[in-house]
């Protein structure tokens, strides 16, 4: 019984102090956008006219999906800035190191390997 | 020396001092700390067990491929090395998450980041280095283990593999590791010098920024260890410039320490001897380091004794001198007894002389061509005399360390009792008794400025002291409950490692035990009211912050896996190739399934937060079910590829594809297990709004697995 009361109190306290989180409607909209962008990703692969820009196009769409999930489903848009710092900092550094590693391993043929 | 001596000595200082110096009662996660310790012990015992079975690791601390391949190291020595490093790495990662959360979120009221002691700052930088530098070596070791156990081709030149991949992965970890070893010592010295010069640290914010810059630059210079492999002039130039840049913040620190000493009322304690010794010896090591930054000079010095001399001036003259300085400085705080100063100074001078006798001649030996890693050589090379001097010096080092041990034993038996503040210290640890009570402080001390404790005692430059704080009775201090599950988990991990080199059944039993232990740790305080509110200084729940910090580390783990896949793309010498086996339709459906599971996850969290039990059960199960469907697709895809002739052993594509997507699948499976645990708790009425933070943490992990798949889907499957 006391557990149940405690649960309601905690729920009420959470509601009172909850930050400006996304609503269920926002989640559904984000999911629809994710589904549409995924369909577009698969679709553009088969459009021959887009071949010259296909790689940046696909990477851009993947980055947009990544950002949507992180900002809305993971609540980074609404949460403490420290959380963004401890995640996005390593993410950018990991991306830079990954590109450097691929470059040094000859993936981009920059250094004539 | 690197993994089982200097790192754990530094970790001992972190554990003991960081909570005291920031005014906390303990680290953020005491049981995680216990788990980290027991796993470290398990890894260390496992590594040392290799000596007992006659298979000690024999490929150097960097284990260059392909010396470590089955062909050239057929026994189990490399397996001991690789597996124990993985176990030790897991321990270090847990500790890193724990310390980062502790430092960011458990500071005393008023202790802003820039008011933190420099040692705490250096600890924070080191934990980020561990957090981000360990995943690349973890992945490198996974590749090595797969090559040795399952016949993959990551380091197999005959199959198109590149031996330099190992060197890159090792040194992406290995160079930050140097800073993991040295920055704690630089932090210690930054505490000792102001105390014994009776002056504030000169330019403390600049010293802090310098430490942060050293850590950051440390990620961009790894290839200076590889100038000799022939990376080309552009890469050589880039890494040479980066390496030289690091000398700037390092030099700034040295000048700030000298400025702190300038005009100070210096007390020549043993701790101060070691601190000043570090400044001198580390400068010598730093100068020879700048020499290595120049590729033409480095080519002459690579694999000679010159390099041995350089890094021992950094790691003994720097790290070890710093750790001894810290040992003499904080020994009274830790034990309640003062070390004998006369013996201490004698030990310092013997160690100082022995160290210089040992390593200074090695500069010359290297310059005249003596190679590293040889224990004998022919007469007439001109190396005899200086090697004799080195050997005599090495005995001096041994005697110097022995004097410290004698001093420690003598002090434990009959040392002078230490007051709370024997050195007239500046930081919070000197505010509590020596040794401190288990809860560190009866009352959490408020912080008004850098060196608050000094101001409380002596006032500021105008003699003004902070107003005294009115305090009530100390009560209601929550102390962590003991738990045996960390030991069980560590034992399971050790058993798993033993099984990897003995019998698969033992490995499965060990990993199963570790899994049970981890689950027990997660659930044993599920209903403990003292664990409900874990909000810290930032207003953030400790667990949530910890999960985000961990996900930062995971970015490096998956980043390395994906970068390797891309680096090896198109290098397979035989088919099948990606275009022969990929079915975009199937992968699109499974990707859609995983994306939609993220929607169900946020709906589950929202339901738990508002106490809607029906919907929380529905969406939790739905998320887990979608996860299982994704795994089903993956199993189907793998089976289809094997049927078409693509396995781990077929070619580079098979090796990189199965390992990258397989580890992602393992993460999904772990997420499903966590979701089903929450669902069962919910069914049993043990999940309500108070537990929303737990659902949120699992949700963060789940969404992260989702975003990783977004990247894999694009770069592995879609990009032509």
């Amino acid at each position: 019984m006391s557990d149940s009361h405690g649960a309601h109190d905690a729920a009420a306290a959470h509601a009172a102090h909850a930050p400006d989180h996304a609503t269920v409607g926002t989640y559904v909209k984000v999911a629809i956008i994710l589904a549409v962008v995924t369909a577009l990703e698969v679709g553009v692969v088969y459009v021959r006219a887009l071949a010259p820009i296909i790689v940046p196009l696909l990477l851009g769409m993947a980055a947009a999906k990544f950002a949507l999930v992180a900002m809305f489903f993971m609540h980074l848009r609404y949460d403490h800035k420290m959380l963004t710092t401890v995640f996005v900092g390593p993410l950018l550094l990991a991306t830079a190191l990954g590109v450097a590693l691929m470059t040094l391993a000859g993936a981009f043929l920059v250094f004539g390997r | 020396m690197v993994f089982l001596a200097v790192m754990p000595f530094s970790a001992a200082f972190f554990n003991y001092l960081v909570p005291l110096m920031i005014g906390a009662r303990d680290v953020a996660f005491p049981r995680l700390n216990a788990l980290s310790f027991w796993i470290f012990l398990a890894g260390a015992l496992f590594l040392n067990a290799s000596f007992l079975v006659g298979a000690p690791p024999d490929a150097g601390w960097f284990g260059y491929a392909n010396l470590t391949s089955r062909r050239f190291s057929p026994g189990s020595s490399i397996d001991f090395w690789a597996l124990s490093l993985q176990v030790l790495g897991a321990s270090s990662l847990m500790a890193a998450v724990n310390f980062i959360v502790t430092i960011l979120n458990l500071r005393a009221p008023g202790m802003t980041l820039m008011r933190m002691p420099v040692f705490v700052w250096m600890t924070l930088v080191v934990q980020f280095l561990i957090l981000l530098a360990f995943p690349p070596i973890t992945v490198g070791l996974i590749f090595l283990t797969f090559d040795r156990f399952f016949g993959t081709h990551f380091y197999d030149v005959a199959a198109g593999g590149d031996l330099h991949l190992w060197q890159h992965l090792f040194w992406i970890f290995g160079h930050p590791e140097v800073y993991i070893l040295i920055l704690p010592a630089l932090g210690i010295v930054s505490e000792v010098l102001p105390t014994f010069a009776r002056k504030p640290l000169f330019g403390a914010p600049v010293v802090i920024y310098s430490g942060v810059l050293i850590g950051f630059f440390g990620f961009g210079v790894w290839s200076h260890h590889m100038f000799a492999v022939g990376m080309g002039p552009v890469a050589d130039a880039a890494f040479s410039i980066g390496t030289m840049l690091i000398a700037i913040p390092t030099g700034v620190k040295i000048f700030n320490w000298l400025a702190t000493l300038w005009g100070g009322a210096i007390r020549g304690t043993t701790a101060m001897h070691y601190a000043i010794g570090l400044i001198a010896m580390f400068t010598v090591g730093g100068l020879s380091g700048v020499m290595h930054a120049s590729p033409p000079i480095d080519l002459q010095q690579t694999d000679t004794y010159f390099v041995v001399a350089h890094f021992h001036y950094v790691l003994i003259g720097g790290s070890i001198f710093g750790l001894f300085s810290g040992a003499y400085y904080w020994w009274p705080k830790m034990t309640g007894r003062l070390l004998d100063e006369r013996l201490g100074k004698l030990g310092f001078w013997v160690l100082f002389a022995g160290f210089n006798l040992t390593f200074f001649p090695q500069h010359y030996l290297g310059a005249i061509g003596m190679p590293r890693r040889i224990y004998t050589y022919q007469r007439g090379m001109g190396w005899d005399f200086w090697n004799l001097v080195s050997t005599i010096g090495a005995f001096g080092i041994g005697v110097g360390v022995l004097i410290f041990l004698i001093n420690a034993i003598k002090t434990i038996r009959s040392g002078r009792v230490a007051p709370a503040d024997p050195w007239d210290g500046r930081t919070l640890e000197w505010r509590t008794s020596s040794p401190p009570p288990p809860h560190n402080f009866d009352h959490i001390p408020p912080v008004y400025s850098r060196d608050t404790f000094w101001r409380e005692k002596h006032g500021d430059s105008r003699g003004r002291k902070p107003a005294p704080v009115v305090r009530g009775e100390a009560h209601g201090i929550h102390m962590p409950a003991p738990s045996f599950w960390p030991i069980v988990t560590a034992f399971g991990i050790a058993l798993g490692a033993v099984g990897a080199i003995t019998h698969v059944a033992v490995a499965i039993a060990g990993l199963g035990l570790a899994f049970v232990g981890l689950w027990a740790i997660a659930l044993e305080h599920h209903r403990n009211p003292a664990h409900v509110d874990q909000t810290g200084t930032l207003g953030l729940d400790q667990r949530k912050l910890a999960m985000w910090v961990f996900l930062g580390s995971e970015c490096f783990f998956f980043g390395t896996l994906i970068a390797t896949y891309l680096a090896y793309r198109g290098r397979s010498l035989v088919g099948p190739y990606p275009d022969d086996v990929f079915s975009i339709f199937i992968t699109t459906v499974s990707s859609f399934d995983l994306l939609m599971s993220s929607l169900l996850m946020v709906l589950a969290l929202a339901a738990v937060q508002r106490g809607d039990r029906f919907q929380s059960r529905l969406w939790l199960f739905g998320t887990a079910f979608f996860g299982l469907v994704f795994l089903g697709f993956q199993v189907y895809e793998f089976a289809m590829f094997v049927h078409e002739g693509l396995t781990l052993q077929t070619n580079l594509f098979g090796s990189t594809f199965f390992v990258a997507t397989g580890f992602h699948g393992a993460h999904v499976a772990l997420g499903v297990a966590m979701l089903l645990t929450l669902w069962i708790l919910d069914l049993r009425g043990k999940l309500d709004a108070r537990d929303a933070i737990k659902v949120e943490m699992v949700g963060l992990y789940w969404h992260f697995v989702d975003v990783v798949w977004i990247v894999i889907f694009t770069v592995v499957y879609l990009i032509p």
Side-chain angles (χ1 to χ4, degrees):
Chain A
M1 190 69 183
S2 62
D3 260 12
S4 166
H5 276 301
H8 286 299
D9 291 348
H14 186 276
H17 297 102
D20 185 22
H21 270 193
T23 61
V24 169
T26 313
Y27 293 144
V28 173
K29 282 180 202 160
V30 170
I32 292 170
I33 295 170
L34 289 171
V36 170
V37 176
T38 304
L40 279 175
E41 280 181 313
V42 178
V44 296
V45 172
Y46 297 100
V47 180
R48 200 166 282 185
L50 294 173
I53 57 162
I54 192 70
V55 173
L57 191 63
L58 286 172
L59 289 177
M61 286 196 276
K65 285 164 67 181
F66 192 115
L68 280 174
V69 174
M71 286 167 64
F72 291 96
F73 287 172
M74 298 170 92
H75 301 139
L76 273 187
R77 186 164 186 262
Y78 308 98
D79 240 322
H80 200 290
K81 294 259 186 299
M82 181 60 79
L83 302 180
T84 307
T85 308
V86 297
F87 179 68
V88 176
L91 175 67
L92 295 177
L93 193 54
T95 308
L97 279 180
V99 172
L101 179 62
M102 288 189 287
T103 307
L104 290 164
F108 303 134
L109 298 175
V110 172
F111 300 142
R113 289 192 47 175
Chain B
M1 192 65 193
V2 171
F3 298 112
L4 300 184
V6 180
M7 273 186 81
F9 275 134
S10 298
F13 283 105
F14 302 154
N15 266 285
Y16 203 91
L17 291 162
V18 165
L20 281 167
M21 293 178 100
I22 62 170
R25 298 206 190 284
D26 201 338
V27 291
F29 307 105
R31 283 177 307 139
L32 184 67
N33 212 17
L35 179 61
S36 172
F37 168 75
W38 289 114
I39 291 178
F40 169 79
L41 186 65
L45 290 174
F46 183 69
L47 181 57
N48 281 298
S50 63
F51 289 91
L52 298 178
V53 299
D58 52 1
W61 87 289
F62 38 64
Y64 277 161
N66 53 6
L67 285 177
T68 50
S69 64
R70 274 270 179 242
R71 185 174 174 200
F72 298 111
S73 292
S76 55
S77 58
I78 298 301
D79 302 330
F80 270 107
W81 176 74
L83 291 165
S84 61
L85 287 199
Q86 296 286 41
V87 176
L88 293 168
S91 160
S92 297
L93 278 176
M94 287 175 195
V97 171
N98 207 349
F99 283 119
I100 289 171
V101 175
T102 302
I103 293 169
L104 292 179
N105 215 27
L106 272 186
R107 283 166 283 138
M111 181 172 276
T112 59
L113 286 174
M114 291 313 289
R115 288 178 183 170
M116 290 196 312
V118 176
F119 176 71
V120 178
W121 258 107
M122 292 308 104
T123 306
L124 183 62
V125 173
V126 164
Q127 302 315 316
F128 271 106
L129 290 177
I130 290 173
L131 188 81
L132 306 181
F134 271 58
I137 188 68
T138 302
V139 172
L141 288 166
I142 287 171
F143 292 162
L144 175 63
T145 311
F146 269 65
D147 273 6
R148 290 179 62 84
F149 283 82
F150 306 119
T152 50
H153 303 289
F154 292 101
Y155 308 123
D156 181 3
V157 178
D162 187 349
L163 297 181
H164 296 153
L165 174 68
W166 167 262
Q167 292 199 29
H168 284 301
L169 296 181
F170 181 83
W171 287 114
I172 287 174
F173 148 79
H175 196 76
E177 174 69 18
V178 174
Y179 299 117
I180 290 168
L181 299 175
I182 189 66
L183 284 176
L186 305 190
I188 289 170
V189 168
S190 300
E191 301 303 327
V192 170
L193 292 173
T195 297
F196 295 118
R198 294 179 67 81
K199 276 178 66 186
L201 182 66
F202 182 85
V206 181
V207 177
I208 291 168
Y209 294 140
S210 300
V212 174
L213 272 179
I214 289 171
F216 182 72
F217 285 154
F219 275 105
V221 298
W222 78 86
S223 280
H224 72 216
H225 295 273
M226 299 167 57
F227 284 146
V229 307
M231 294 179 297
V234 178
D236 279 2
F239 284 101
S240 174
I241 292 166
T243 307
M244 289 181 186
L245 277 177
I246 287 193
I248 297 171
T250 312
V252 166
K253 272 179 181 284
I254 287 167
F255 282 116
N256 277 332
W257 292 331
L258 294 176
T260 305
L261 293 173
W262 186 264
I266 293 172
R267 284 180 287 166
T269 59
T270 310
M272 191 65 155
H273 276 66
Y274 276 107
I276 294 172
L278 177 146
I279 296 175
M281 297 300 99
F282 182 62
T283 302
V284 174
L287 289 174
S288 55
V290 175
M291 293 165 74
H292 296 144
S294 170
I297 296 173
D298 181 80
L299 284 176
Q300 298 300 314
Q301 294 166 346
T302 294
D303 275 340
T304 72
Y305 257 88
F306 193 93
V307 178
V308 180
H310 155 70
F311 68 69
H312 280 95
Y313 267 84
V314 173
L315 292 182
I316 294 185
S319 300
I320 300 292
F321 274 38
L323 291 171
F324 269 118
S325 178
Y328 276 93
Y329 184 54
W330 282 301
W331 186 272
K333 180 53 59 184
M334 294 174 176
T335 65
R337 305 240 176 207
L338 286 153
L339 283 166
D340 185 300
E341 281 288 305
R342 276 195 310 174
L343 264 182
K345 286 171 196 166
L346 174 69
F348 166 77
W349 286 114
V350 172
L351 184 62
F352 185 82
F355 162 70
N356 280 291
L357 269 182
T358 307
F359 293 107
F360 200 81
Q362 292 179 4
H363 289 107
Y364 176 69
L365 284 168
I368 62 172
M370 181 173 170
R372 293 172 69 177
R373 301 190 189 88
I374 56 170
Y375 66 94
T376 186
Y377 48 83
Q378 289 183 333
R379 284 178 176 276
M381 305 292 286
W383 304 338
D384 307 42
F385 175 74
W386 291 114
N387 272 289
L388 176 65
V389 172
S390 256
T391 305
I392 294 167
F395 280 103
I397 293 174
V399 173
V401 174
L402 189 64
I403 292 172
F404 172 78
L405 293 176
I406 292 168
N407 199 351
I409 293 165
K410 181 172 172 266
T411 303
I412 290 166
R413 286 187 175 171
S414 60
R416 226 164 18 106
V417 174
D421 181 21
W423 311 122
D424 197 11
R426 313 179 75 88
T427 38
L428 290 181
E429 75 274 22
W430 304 111
R431 215 173 184 280
T432 189
S433 59
S434 298
H439 51 281
N440 283 353
F441 301 96
D442 289 342
H443 304 272
I444 298 297
V447 175
Y448 313 96
S449 64
R450 168 175 294 286
D451 295 339
T452 284
F453 186 47
W454 176 269
R455 276 190 62 191
E456 283 180 21
K457 293 183 292 183
H458 303 286
D460 61 11
S461 54
R462 295 182 191 171
R464 291 174 306 188
K465 296 182 182 178
V469 179
V470 180
R471 293 161 172 159
E473 287 293 309
H475 60 86
I477 297 172
H478 169 64
M479 298 298 291
S483 170
F484 60 82
W485 288 112
I487 303 177
V488 173
T489 309
F491 179 72
I493 290 173
L495 197 62
V498 170
I501 51 176
T502 52
H503 196 281
V504 68
V506 179
I508 291 170
L511 294 179
L513 189 62
F515 193 76
V516 169
L518 284 173
W519 244 244
I521 290 171
L523 294 175
E524 68 179 332
H525 288 285
H526 177 59
R527 296 271 90 175
N528 186 340
H531 287 233
V532 172
D533 183 18
Q534 297 190 26
T535 309
T537 315
L538 295 170
L540 278 170
D541 189 283
Q542 321 273 37
R543 294 161 290 187
K544 186 170 168 179
L545 179 57
M547 178 55 81
W548 275 107
V549 170
F550 171 68
L551 295 182
S553 180
E554 287 275 85
C555 288
F556 269 70
F557 179 82
F558 280 107
T560 311
L561 282 174
I562 293 168
T564 302
Y565 176 86
L566 292 175
Y568 274 169
R569 200 180 167 112
R571 288 203 187 180
S572 293
L573 302 181
V574 294
Y577 303 104
D579 290 345
D580 302 330
V581 292
F582 279 163
S583 165
I584 299 300
F585 174 72
I586 288 174
T587 317
T588 304
V589 174
S590 69
S591 302
F592 180 77
D593 166 81
L594 197 62
L595 275 176
M596 291 307 108
S597 75
S598 262
L599 172 64
L600 301 192
M601 187 69 240
V602 282
L603 294 179
L605 175 61
V608 173
Q609 283 172 339
R610 62 175 187 269
D612 185 337
R613 300 277 296 277
F614 173 74
Q615 288 212 23
S616 65
R617 291 170 186 178
L618 177 67
W619 300 131
L620 279 174
F621 180 77
T623 313
F625 178 74
F626 273 44
L628 285 170
V629 169
F630 176 83
L631 288 174
F633 272 116
Q634 194 167 43
V635 170
Y636 172 75
E637 184 186 50
F638 281 13
M640 200 171 69
F641 289 179
V642 171
H643 181 70
E644 293 183 25
L646 182 73
T647 66
L648 272 170
Q649 298 88 9
T650 307
N651 55 18
L652 269 183
F653 166 57
S655 299
T656 51
F657 171 81
F658 281 115
V659 170
T661 55
F663 269 91
H664 177 266
H667 277 68
V668 174
L670 187 62
V672 168
M674 290 195 282
L675 285 163
L676 290 176
T677 306
L678 289 175
W679 179 64
I680 291 168
L681 286 172
D682 201 354
L683 286 179
R684 295 172 64 187
K686 292 183 176 177
L687 195 77
D688 54 42
R690 287 171 299 180
D691 304 307
I693 185 68
K694 295 166 191 170
V695 180
E696 190 172 1
M697 280 176 62
V698 173
L700 289 173
Y701 175 86
W702 190 257
H703 298 309
F704 179 76
V705 169
D706 191 2
V707 292
V708 169
W709 186 254
I710 286 172
V711 178
I712 290 178
F713 178 56
T714 301
V715 300
V716 173
Y717 289 90
L718 292 183
I719 289 181

